[in-house]
């Protein structure tokens, strides 16, 4: 869901278990209406839009009634796990993609592979690759894409003009980026900002750098670390050069101040996603561009998913999810919310032009989905621990406490131990 940066990624490794939520189930008798309890974390425009769509579905399907129930996304994983214990799991719940590995293998979690493969109208390959990857683990499909986004370079045009620096181009290299950040730094102003709290918010930005240099997080089969490599060294060295040597980076300790500083003209560039565009002050003239590249202009996506947990309600929940995530219906939702399209075919619908006219800043992020989002974080149970280890290493380099080489080597050794089951 479109919320301030870090909303789904810090939730990956933190949270307190909550009490169980609402019950769901089926009415008795063949003619009774089936209740589809739908947990979601939508607020504001998203809540209004999903309420309208649920009402539209209910009006057309009196025997398959959807009951939307708000559930804070940051707590939904813990709340869902608690519902398994209480026996009151929701029919459908919106989940961060990072929660998938914690939910697979549980009897309440429904494997949707046969439903997807047996439903040609789903057109699974029409979903962007990153969205499909976020719903898949060990070759099985456990969710339907609910949201897909990615990182782009957002910049303050006024600050670039004042510094006499040309606006970022699609072909910008790391050298171009570093040089611009240095020129834009000074007088309590920073060229760039980086979240330095060591959480997944720190890690996923590093993954983009790693992939841009041609590297990988893990080796084949996800059996060993692969980031202690020339590509990893180059990515980590760029962070050290900019943060420690140039001092052109505002290190955000995790309280998400970089957007406030961007709005106040204290930060010239940020790596963020479409969720932050709506929070940029109206008086700030900004642009959006691809991330700078070393070998590629790779970006990283944070897809979220809808999952089905109630076996008895599965037959009723599945048609609703197919409808909700169809190209025409989702584009209507996106027009009201500013979410990115989930499917390539949404770009071919007549309403897509009006969508882009309403949200012009989203075009770069959509182009990223078509071109630059080619890899995904692994959906494996060990990933939260891997993220903690790598986040600590990146944080140490940003703060100048460790050199890139030793930081990577120590982190890779620890990740190897995690993957070996130690």
């Amino acid at each position: 869901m479109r919320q301030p940066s870090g909303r789904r990624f810090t939730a990956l490794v933190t949270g307190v278990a909550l009490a169980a939520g609402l019950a769901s189930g089926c009415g008795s008798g063949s003619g009774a209406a089936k209740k589809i309890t739908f947990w979601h974390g939508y607020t504001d425009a998203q809540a209004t839009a999903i309420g309208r769509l649920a009402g539209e579905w209910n009006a057309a399907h009196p025997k398959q009634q959807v009951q939307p129930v708000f559930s804070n996304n940051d707590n939904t994983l813990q709340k869902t796990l608690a519902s398994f214990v209480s026996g009151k799991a929701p029919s459908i719940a919106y989940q961060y993609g990072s929660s998938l590995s914690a939910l697979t293998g549980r009897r309440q979690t429904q494997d949707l592979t046969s439903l997807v493969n047996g439903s040609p109208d789903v057109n699974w390959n029409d979903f962007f690759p990153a969205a499909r990857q976020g719903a898949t683990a060990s070759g099985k499909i456990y969710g339907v894409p609910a949201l897909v986004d990615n990182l782009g370079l957002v910049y303050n045009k006024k600050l670039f003009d004042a510094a006499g620096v040309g606006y970022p181009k699609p072909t910008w290299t790391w050298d171009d980026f570093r040089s611009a950040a240095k020129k834009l730094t000074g007088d309590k102003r920073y060229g760039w900002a980086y979240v330095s709290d060591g959480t997944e918010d720190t890690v996923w930005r590093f993954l983009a750098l790693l992939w841009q240099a041609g590297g990988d997080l893990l080796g084949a089969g996800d059996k060993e670390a692969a980031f202690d490599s020339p590509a990893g060294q180059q990515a980590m060295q760029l962070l050290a050069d900019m943060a420690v040597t140039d001092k052109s980076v505002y290190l955000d300790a995790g309280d998400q101040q970089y957007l406030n500083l961007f709005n106040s003209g204290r930060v010239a560039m940020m790596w963020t996603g479409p969720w932050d565009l709506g929070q940029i002050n109206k008086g700030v003239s900004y642009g959006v561009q691809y991330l700078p590249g070393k070998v590629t202009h790779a970006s990283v996506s944070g897809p979220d998913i809808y999952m089905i947990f109630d076996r008895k309600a599965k037959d009723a929940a599945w048609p609703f999810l197919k409808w909700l995530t169809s190209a025409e219906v989702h584009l209507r939702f996106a027009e009201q919310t500013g979410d990115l399209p989930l499917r390539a075919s949404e770009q071919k619908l007549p309403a897509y032009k009006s969508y882009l006219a309403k949200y012009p800043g989203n075009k770069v992020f959509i182009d990223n989905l078509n071109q630059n989002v080619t890899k995904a974080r692994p959906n494996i149970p060990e990933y939260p621990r891997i993220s903690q280890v790598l986040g600590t290493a990146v944080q140490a380099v940003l703060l100048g406490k460790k050199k890139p080489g030793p930081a990577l080597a120590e982190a890779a050794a620890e990740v190897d131990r995690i993957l070996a089951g130690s």
Side-chain angles (χ1 to χ4, degrees), residues 306-385:
Y306 297 122
M307 299 182 71
I308 298 177
F309 297 109
D310 185 344
R311 180 180 58 81
K312 293 181 179 179
K314 183 177 179 179
D315 290 343
W318 175 243
F320 170 69
L321 283 187
K322 285 202 302 180
W323 176 81
L324 183 64
T325 58
S326 64
E328 294 80 3
V329 175
H330 184 265
L331 185 58
R332 284 200 280 130
F333 179 78
E335 281 189 282
Q336 298 175 64
T337 65
D339 283 17
L340 300 185
L342 290 173
R343 297 171 172 272
S345 64
E346 291 180 53
Q347 301 168 87
K348 299 177 182 179
L349 296 175
Y352 183 67
K353 290 184 179 180
S354 60
Y355 166 83
L356 279 186
K358 188 175 181 180
Y359 306 104
N362 281 359
K363 187 177 187 308
V364 167
F365 296 110
I366 297 168
D367 289 344
N368 267 338
L369 291 174
N370 287 310
Q371 303 173 35
N372 299 321
V373 180
T374 59
K375 295 183 179 183
R377 296 168 296 175
N379 277 329
I380 57 176
E382 298 86 356
Y383 184 76
R385 294 174 63 196

Side-chain angles (χ1 to χ4, degrees), residues 9-21:
F9 307 104
T10 54
L12 174 67
V13 292
T14 61
V16 179
L18 299 180

Side-chain angles (χ1 to χ4, degrees), residues 87-417:
K88 298 179 180 179
S91 309
I92 301 169
Y94 183 112
Q95 300 281 348
Y96 292 152
S98 55
S99 299
L100 182 61
S101 62
L103 293 165
T104 55
R106 299 176 183 273
R107 63 178 180 81
Q108 294 87 353
T109 302
Q110 300 300 300
D111 180 353
L112 306 181
T113 309
S114 61
L115 289 176
V116 170
N117 292 337
S119 305
D121 55 327
V122 171
N123 195 6
W124 183 247
N125 289 333
D126 186 34
F127 288 107
F128 287 109
R132 299 199 305 268
Q133 291 166 359
T136 306
S138 302
K140 295 182 178 180
I141 300 170
Y142 289 100
V144 180
L147 175 145
V148 62
D149 54 24
N150 58 83
L151 288 175
L153 173 61
V154 180
Y155 59 95
N156 185 312
K157 292 183 177 181
K158 181 179 179 180
L159 295 183
F160 271 74
D161 292 341
V165 179
Y167 296 157
K169 298 179 180 180
T171 55
W172 254 25
T173 65
W174 283 3
D175 289 340
D176 295 325
F177 177 62
R178 181 184 177 188
S179 175
K182 287 176 67 175
K183 293 175 182 177
L184 290 158
T185 297
D187 191 23
K188 298 181 179 180
R189 186 178 64 246
Y190 295 89
W192 187 35
Y194 199 104
V195 179
S196 60
D197 61 356
T199 67
E200 179 67 9
D201 218 2
T202 298
V203 173
W204 84 310
R205 288 172 170 83
F206 176 77
L207 289 180
L209 288 165
L210 177 67
W211 295 338
Q212 287 160 16
D216 284 303
L217 176 64
L218 302 178
D222 298 331
K223 300 299 184 182
E224 61 182 3
F227 55 81
D228 185 12
S229 62
Q233 293 279 346
Q234 292 169 350
M236 202 73 96
Q237 189 62 53
L238 178 65
L239 292 180
D241 289 342
M242 295 181 69
V244 181
T245 302
D246 300 345
K247 300 187 185 304
S248 61
V249 185
Y250 171 75
L251 298 179
D252 193 323
D255 52 5
Q256 304 299 325
Q257 286 300 310
Y258 69 81
L259 181 59
N260 293 332
L261 294 176
F262 183 85
N263 277 327
S264 63
R266 301 283 294 280
V267 164
M269 294 183 287
M270 56 183 182
W271 285 21
T272 191
W275 59 85
D276 270 341
L277 299 188
Q279 300 183 75
I280 296 175
N281 291 347
K282 291 183 178 180
V284 176
S285 177
Y286 70 90
V288 184
Q289 190 50 269
Y290 292 150
L291 297 181
K294 179 71 175 178
V295 176
T296 73
H297 292 275
S299 186
V300 57
S301 179
D304 295 340
I305 53 180
Y306 297 122
M307 299 182 71
I308 298 177
F309 297 109
D310 185 344
R311 180 180 58 81
K312 293 181 179 179
K314 183 177 179 179
D315 290 343
W318 175 243
F320 170 69
L321 283 187
K322 285 202 302 180
W323 176 81
L324 183 64
T325 58
S326 64
E328 294 80 3
V329 175
H330 184 265
L331 185 58
R332 284 200 280 130
F333 179 78
E335 281 189 282
Q336 298 175 64
T337 65
D339 283 17
L340 300 185
L342 290 173
R343 297 171 172 272
S345 64
E346 291 180 53
Q347 301 168 87
K348 299 177 182 179
L349 296 175
Y352 183 67
K353 290 184 179 180
S354 60
Y355 166 83
L356 279 186
K358 188 175 181 180
Y359 306 104
N362 281 359
K363 187 177 187 308
V364 167
F365 296 110
I366 297 168
D367 289 344
N368 267 338
L369 291 174
N370 287 310
Q371 303 173 35
N372 299 321
V373 180
T374 59
K375 295 183 179 183
R377 296 168 296 175
N379 277 329
I380 57 176
E382 298 86 356
Y383 184 76
R385 294 174 63 196
I386 293 171
S387 175
Q388 288 179 313
V389 171
L390 189 54
T392 299
V394 175
Q395 181 187 50
V397 170
L398 287 168
L399 298 176
K401 295 181 177 180
K402 288 185 180 180
K403 299 293 185 181
L408 282 169
E410 293 170 15
E414 179 61 23
V415 167
D416 284 345
R417 286 192 286 270

